[in-house]
Amino acid sequence: MVEKRVAALENGTAGVALATGAAAVTAAVQNVCNQGDNIVSASTLYGGTYDLFSVTLPKLGITTTFVDPDDPQNFAKPSMTIPRHCTLKPLVTPALTSLILKP
């Protein structure tokens, strides 16, 4: 029921409610990534998310390229394979860094 209500508030067609942020990140990645895909991620992630990307997902054939988020251009380096998912935790990370994106 809560999923339907949140979806309606956001003008969405459906929604998924999960108990933790870690569950939400895992579900999101597993829904958009397949074996052989690459994720480009800020290196300043929360420890649990970092472990998911560096330990668990490689076992499923999903790799992660960690970049320094201090320079947003690091997310668009031409030498990287085209990412399937880009993880930016833009507010505050455990390292107290923030990421400001400009169009």
Side-chain angles (χ1 to χ4, degrees), residues 74-97:
N74 290 336
F75 290 93
K77 296 279 185 197
S79 62
M80 286 192 275
T81 58
I82 296 173
R84 188 81 161 134
H85 177 79
C86 190
T87 300
L88 313 169
K89 293 236 178 168
L91 298 178
V92 177
T93 66
L96 298 177
T97 58

Side-chain angles (χ1 to χ4, degrees), residues 32-97:
V32 298
C33 292
N34 297 307
Q35 186 175 16
D37 286 341
N38 181 53
I39 297 169
V40 178
S41 175
S43 60
T44 54
L45 294 175
Y46 165 73
T49 305
Y50 188 90
D51 287 344
L52 172 70
F53 288 179
S54 65
V55 177
T56 305
L57 291 178
K59 293 177 184 177
L60 301 174
I62 301 168
T63 59
T64 301
T65 302
F66 293 100
V67 299
D68 180 358
D70 289 340
D71 181 3
Q73 291 301 316
N74 290 336
F75 290 93
K77 296 279 185 197
S79 62
M80 286 192 275
T81 58
I82 296 173
R84 188 81 161 134
H85 177 79
C86 190
T87 300
L88 313 169
K89 293 236 178 168
L91 298 178
V92 177
T93 66
L96 298 177
T97 58

